[in-house]
């Protein structure tokens, strides 16, 4: 087991709400680590609509998704949060008592954290690869069907069917080509979103018959015990089988609640119910803020997440510093807060 | 108001009154039409509001823009009549439009 990272608060999710929680906690001298499954901060803002305008952030008549994320990162910089990307929180164990909570948090990448407070700011859940809706695909996953390449060796001397038309599909076509027995790239149309130079490189390999390009879609899987023998594909000529023993489908990401469902929290329609004073869940010391929570009158707005972050930080302070009294202060007038922000 | 009919994969049909100026996806959600997920909320970023447009309406709706065509790459069982319903604006000219929702949005 890797070394345990000890901190005041673990924030699950680095979207706008999780980022602003760092600010509100920081003003109260509470240190935070953020864990996100994406390779970058910003959550849905950065993943789904980085260039789309947002019109309902108070004080910003218009800001893009990425613009908001960039501003939040600048705003929380004085508090030096630590980010852990490409990691999904898998397990959560309760170590403390309801009065003095403590938690151990484990990620799928093997990182282990110990914190007094956990703030779930996981939005719509974790972004996970989209699974083609064909029968029995679950049986092949992580044996013959992969949604990412973790070890290139898994593909050596294999006949690999790569499905998709974006950068992931094209990059892996080119990267696996030298070690695979044969690469077959399949896409629904003869047009590719991927970077033009990789599309050109792929077309050259096809022209020199070093790989195959197929215009079609997945219709079914054939094989047994998780070992793929062929993929049934639908093309303009009808349905036929393509022999292969590996498949890599790249259809983008979808949001799934994921392991949060197994943490012993009350759930209501895939959302976590909280109170509206502290935004705490049924488990003392575990808070839920932003799109992932629910309460009477809840609106899934970024501004609601900001409000919730501020209020949950107040209660988090009591868990982190049980002896200290909390005095409410304004950043405009408090020298103490301004020192923390590095402006006084 | 413009009438739009949604037929689900099992063949059940539901007709709703949609507000002009909104999108077919928004109208579907407002009327709790099953089979439209619209995970990204209409940003043309997820392909979970995929529908098949009735043949008769294909010409009237026009061709999808490049961004929508690219995003359809993330949908499953894409056909020549595939569209993302968040990119179809409701307007009087499409009164009576009929679309079918796929079995799964993936």
């Amino acid at each position: 087991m890797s070394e345990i990272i000890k901190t005041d608060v673990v924030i699950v999710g680095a979207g706008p709400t999780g980022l602003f929680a760092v600010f509100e906690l920081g003003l109260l001298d509470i240190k935070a680590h953020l864990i996100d499954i994406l390779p970058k901060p910003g959550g849905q803002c950065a993943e789904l609509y980085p260039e789309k305008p947002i019109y309902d952030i108070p004080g910003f008549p218009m800001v893009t998704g990425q613009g908001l994320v960039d501003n939040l990162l600048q705003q929380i910089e004085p508090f030096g949060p630590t980010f852990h990307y490409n990691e999904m929180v898998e397990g959560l164990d309760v170590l403390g008592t309801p009065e003095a909570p403590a938690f151990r948090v484990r990620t799928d990448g093997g990182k282990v954290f110990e914190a007094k407070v956990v703030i779930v700011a996981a939005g719509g859940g974790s972004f996970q690869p989209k699974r083609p809706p064909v029968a029995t695909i679950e049986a092949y996953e992580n044996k013959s069907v992969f949604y990412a390449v973790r070890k290139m060796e898994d593909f050596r001397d294999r006949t690999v069917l790569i499905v998709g038309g974006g950068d992931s599909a094209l990059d892996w076509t080119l990267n696996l080509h030298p070690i695979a027995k044969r690469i077959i790239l399949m896409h629904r149309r003869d047009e590719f979103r991927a970077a033009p130079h990789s599309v050109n490189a792929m077309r050259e390999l096809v022209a020199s018959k070093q790989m195959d390009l197929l215009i079609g879609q997945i219709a079914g899987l054939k094989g047994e015990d998780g070992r793929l023998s062929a993929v049934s594909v639908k093309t303009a000529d009808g349905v036929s089988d393509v022999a292969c023993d590996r498949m890599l489908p790249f259809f983008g990401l979808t949001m799934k609640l994921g392991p949060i469902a197994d943490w012993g929290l009350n759930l209501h329609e895939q959302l976590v119910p909280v109170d509206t004073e502290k935004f705490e869940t049924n488990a003392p010391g575990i808070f839920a803020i932003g799109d992932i929570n629910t309460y009477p009158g809840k609106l899934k707005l970024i501004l609601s997440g900001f409000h919730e972050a501020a209020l949950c930080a107040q209660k988090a302070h009591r868990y982190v510093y049980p002896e200290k009294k909390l005095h409410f202060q304004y950043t405009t007038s408090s020298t103490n807060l301004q020192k923390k922000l590095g402006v006084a | 108001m413009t009438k739009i009919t949604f037929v689900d994969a099992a063949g059940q049909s539901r007709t709703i009154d949609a507000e002009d100026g909104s999108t077919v996806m928004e109208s579907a959600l407002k009327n709790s039409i099953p089979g439209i997920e619209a995970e990204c909320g209409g940003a043309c970023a997820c392909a979970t509001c995929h529908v098949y447009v009735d043949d008769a309406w294909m010409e009237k709706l026009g061709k999808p823009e490049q961004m929508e065509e690219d995003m359809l790459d993330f949908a499953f069982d894409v056909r020549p009549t595939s569209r993302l319903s968040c990119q179809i604006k409701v307007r009087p000219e499409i009164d009576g439009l009929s679309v079918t929702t796929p079995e799964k949005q993936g």
Side-chain angles (χ1 to χ4, degrees):
Chain A
M1 198 165 76
S2 56
E3 200 181 318
I4 293 173
I5 300 167
K6 296 202 175 194
T7 179
D8 296 331
V9 176
V10 164
I11 300 173
V12 184
T17 299
L19 294 176
F20 194 65
V22 171
F23 183 85
E24 290 294 336
L25 293 166
L27 289 180
L28 308 182
D29 297 314
I30 302 172
K31 287 272 174 215
H33 282 243
L34 295 109
I35 305 171
D36 202 292
I37 194 163
L38 294 176
K40 56 180 185 279
Q44 292 181 46
C45 284
E47 181 63 29
L48 292 181
Y49 47 90
E51 282 149 36
K52 290 258 168 184
I54 309 173
Y55 298 103
D56 60 354
I57 306 296
F60 288 92
M62 193 286 274
V63 62
T64 62
Q66 190 58 49
L68 177 67
V69 173
D70 291 344
N71 280 343
L72 283 165
L73 289 171
Q74 190 189 338
Q75 193 169 19
I76 66 176
E77 211 201 334
F79 303 113
T82 314
F83 291 92
H84 305 268
Y85 298 123
N86 297 308
E87 302 260 348
M88 179 167 71
V89 175
E90 232 171 27
L92 186 141
D93 309 315
V94 179
L95 305 176
T97 62
E99 294 73 34
F103 304 94
R104 184 178 296 132
V105 172
R106 287 171 283 109
T107 70
D108 60 345
K111 287 190 183 173
V112 182
F113 299 81
E114 277 182 19
K116 297 189 176 95
V117 167
V118 172
I119 296 178
V120 182
S126 53
F127 280 98
Q128 290 173 15
K130 256 195 197 173
R131 163 191 282 165
V134 288
T136 70
I137 191 163
E138 291 92 336
Y140 296 96
E141 285 171 356
N142 300 317
K143 290 177 187 154
S144 307
V145 174
F146 298 86
Y147 299 106
V149 177
R150 292 217 188 250
K151 283 196 306 251
M152 299 233 322
E153 279 306 304
D154 287 339
F155 300 86
R156 182 177 292 280
D157 300 326
R158 299 290 182 174
T159 304
V160 188
L161 177 69
I162 297 178
V163 193
D167 281 317
S168 304
L170 270 287
D171 288 351
W172 285 116
T173 294
L174 301 175
N175 289 337
L176 293 176
H177 169 258
I179 66 163
K181 186 171 164 197
R182 189 78 182 171
I183 296 276
I184 306 149
L185 174 66
M186 179 165 76
H187 186 39
R188 72 173 183 95
R189 53 179 180 147
D190 198 8
E191 239 176 280
F192 295 83
R193 307 184 308 282
H197 65 87
S198 15
V199 178
N200 291 340
M202 177 274 291
R203 293 218 188 265
E204 277 170 31
L205 289 176
V206 173
S208 58
K209 301 203 180 331
Q210 296 183 66
M211 62 165 281
D212 303 300
L213 172 63
L214 202 58
I215 305 304
Q217 298 181 70
I218 307 169
L221 304 176
K222 293 188 176 165
E224 54 183 305
D225 298 332
R227 285 192 308 273
L228 193 64
S229 57
V231 174
S232 158
V233 304
K234 203 159 100 185
T235 66
D237 304 328
V239 178
S240 58
D241 284 354
V242 172
C244 61
D245 48 11
R246 289 285 181 271
M247 180 168 81
L248 276 166
F250 294 109
F251 286 90
L253 302 172
T254 182
M255 286 176 281
K256 295 263 184 296
L257 185 60
I260 294 172
D262 307 321
W263 296 351
L265 302 177
N266 288 344
L267 291 179
H268 177 72
E269 290 178 354
Q270 305 282 297
L271 298 168
V272 184
V274 291
D275 66 75
T276 51
E277 182 194 347
K278 313 171 300 279
F279 299 93
E280 200 165 17
T281 67
N282 61 299
I286 305 181
F287 298 81
I289 58 175
D291 284 0
I292 193 100
N293 76 12
T294 183
Y295 51 82
K298 167 73 182 185
L299 287 180
K300 284 191 185 186
L301 291 176
I302 292 172
L303 70 91
S304 310
F306 291 167
H307 162 80
E308 294 157 18
L311 268 66
C312 91
Q314 299 284 313
K315 181 69 191 284
H317 183 269
R318 268 196 260 162
Y319 289 131
V320 176
Y321 299 113
E323 312 298 324
K324 278 197 206 167
K325 215 173 159 192
L326 188 56
H327 297 285
F328 183 69
Q329 301 173 83
Y330 291 102
T331 54
T332 329
S333 49
S334 158
T335 324
N336 177 19
L337 293 187
Q338 288 166 1
K339 272 187 191 149
K340 294 175 196 178
L341 290 165
V343 292
Chain B
M1 287 292 188
T2 297
K3 289 215 183 301
I4 299 176
T5 300
F6 293 86
V7 183
D8 68 21
Q12 193 182 337
S13 145
R14 297 171 178 87
T15 300
I16 61 161
D17 284 317
E19 200 177 321
D20 292 326
S22 69
T23 67
V24 171
M25 177 279 282
E26 288 169 326
S27 311
L29 290 194
K30 216 166 155 184
N31 289 277
S32 308
I33 297 294
I36 302 278
E37 288 178 16
E39 201 172 76
C40 79
C44 197
C46 74
T48 61
C49 65
H50 178 202
V51 295
Y52 303 114
V53 172
D54 195 275
D55 283 330
W57 287 92
M58 283 305 289
E59 207 172 318
K60 197 147 217 172
L61 287 188
K63 285 212 173 308
E65 286 189 26
Q66 185 66 38
M67 181 174 68
E68 180 184 348
E69 195 63 67
D70 282 353
M71 198 43 62
L72 276 168
D73 285 352
F74 290 139
F76 298 103
D77 195 9
V78 178
R79 303 174 194 166
T81 56
S82 287
R83 291 292 307 265
L84 296 180
S85 55
C86 71
Q87 300 301 306
I88 308 174
K89 278 257 185 257
V90 177
R91 49 194 192 270
E93 304 89 82
I94 68 164
D95 185 48
L97 171 72
S98 174
V99 301
T100 302
T101 49
E103 204 169 317
K104 265 187 165 177
Q105 289 287 359

